[in-house]
Amino acid sequence: MIASSSTANETPTDSPYPTIDKAPRAIFKIGSLDEPAPINQQPTSRPPLQSQPSCARSEAGDLAEPTALFPSMRLVLAALLCCCYMALAISTSNISVGIICMSSCPLHPGLGGTLDWRPSQEGYVLAAQNAGNLLMLLTGMWADRLNGKWMVMASLVLCVSANAILPMVSPVSLWLTVLCRMAVGAADACLIPAATSLITRWFPQAERSAAIGIISGGRQLGSLFILPAAGWLCTQRIAGGWPAIFYLSALVSLMVVFFWLPFGADKPSKQCCISEKERLFVESRIACESIGKRTDRGRRVPYRAMLRSSPLWAAAFAMVCHEYPLVIMLQFLPNYLRDVLEFQPTENGLISALPMLCLFLSKTLSSSLSSWLIVRKEYDKTRVCKVFNGIASAGLSICIGIVPFFDKDHATLAVICLCGAMFSAGMHTPGVQTALVQLAPPFSGIITGWTFFAVAWFGIGNKILTKKIVQQGSATEWAIVFHVASLVAALPVIFFSIWGSADRQIWASPSSKLSVASMYMPNRIASLNTQMTREGSQSSWSLPKRPTPPPIRKISTLAPFDSNTSIQKSER
């Protein structure tokens, strides 16, 4: 029992002690589980109850203290995943500049290489990466059941192997080159679902938009690094010129492996350096989402409800329309700058990196702004997603549609439009990309796999179609490519704005006893916190009395055993 001497008039209306269901006011902070109460309202003996998950205490983590640079291990994990995305982006973007130096160019003979590849064959090499992405249908189905750390590790190993082998097989066989690029696509298929699943297990809802911005920003950082470096290496004699591009890519991926292996973790309880305070904070915030254990075989995946979900179809359609013009910008931009604007390889690499810089700045700033609006201003999540996504799609469509109107004499204006297009595209991160994670956190890997499986198919068609259209590299041919991309980019303004959503869907409710129990635990503990705070603001605390056991009544002694009679019954 809790003895209380306070009256009803003295009962405070607001709890002076932090509870687990109160969201932190700052992003990536550990939270307020163990914050001291105000001095004039301290309890006399013990604090309110808190949830104590049955996880082993991390001895190394208990000694870990937050710093100004890394206020929590969640930010450390976001930085590590950002490096993984950067290594993947280097492996996927190096071919866009490398193929200019590898294959011959009939329109500009002095700017090509020695490999006699036709435009259609170049399209096969570029589309091979998207063919490898088709594996995302399988990796997405298993991303919520397999260990996310080792899926990311497999992705990095594929990047190292494919980039190290490609320079040796490209002069020998076109199809071996295609196979290496498919391995890079398979690495992409492993990383994206695994990272999405890790985000739902490491970051509460209010932090996911900012986390996605930081993590996926590694793609732009990788492009910013490799595009200028590849343009410079093409003109040098280091390791034969263009082969050095792929050797450098393999080296970067190998370096990331040495950091991810000791510090990466599938969930907070498996991280060696996390403090128990932060672990309890994360687990209490995500408990109501019934994400469950990866080994929980009792969880049923609602495939039929997912296929009939309008918000899911709207988000997948918006993602396909978002990625279609980005393929043009990421894979074919160096070709356009060479064919139409006539930039040299070194200038080509530098100018190709400018739109990537705009994309990185846009997605980082817009993601932080989105989290600020949701956490501090308490705006509706769906409305914030729709506004950012609408601005992104409209801006991307307009800027891409204007680019073909400028020739080489107005190259500066063309580059400005390209940068504006990528700055607009960055706002898709707090838009449709965040919505995909929020729709069903327990099945985020499956949803990501399905969505990017469709993106991969359209990416294959996009690259082959572009190479079919651009045969001579003329401005007219490139104008057709940009106008088609502009039309596709504008479609989500209508469809996602009407049917899109960032709220958790009803079919994503828990389906196992363990998940159901985890949904109600935080609310039960929070109510106990409030009740005990109100009763104990000016009272003394006392432990509940142990119930007195019932008296033991005397039982008569059993009679001697007789084979012909049964044992006598004891007196009751």
Side-chain angles (χ1 to χ4, degrees), residues 92-165:
T92 57
S93 301
N94 54 14
I95 193 66
S96 60
V97 177
I99 201 169
I100 297 176
C101 307
M102 295 166 64
S103 61
S104 58
C105 178
L107 188 63
H108 303 283
L111 300 180
T114 58
L115 300 180
D116 189 15
W117 288 349
R118 296 188 301 273
S120 59
Q121 293 176 323
E122 293 181 6
Y124 296 149
V125 174
L126 295 173
Q129 174 189 330
N130 295 93
N133 285 345
L134 295 177
L135 290 175
M136 204 172 298
L137 182 64
L138 299 178
T139 57
M141 299 286 285
W142 288 92
D144 296 316
R145 296 186 180 274
L146 299 179
N147 190 296
K149 174 181 179 178
W150 298 113
M151 286 188 67
V152 174
M153 187 69 181
S155 174
L156 295 173
V157 171
L158 285 173
C159 288
V160 174
S161 304
N163 285 298
I165 297 174

Side-chain angles (χ1 to χ4, degrees), residues 470-484:
V470 182
Q471 293 291 328
Q472 302 297 326
S474 63
T476 304
E477 294 172 343
W478 281 107
I480 297 174
V481 173
F482 279 103
H483 287 154
V484 171

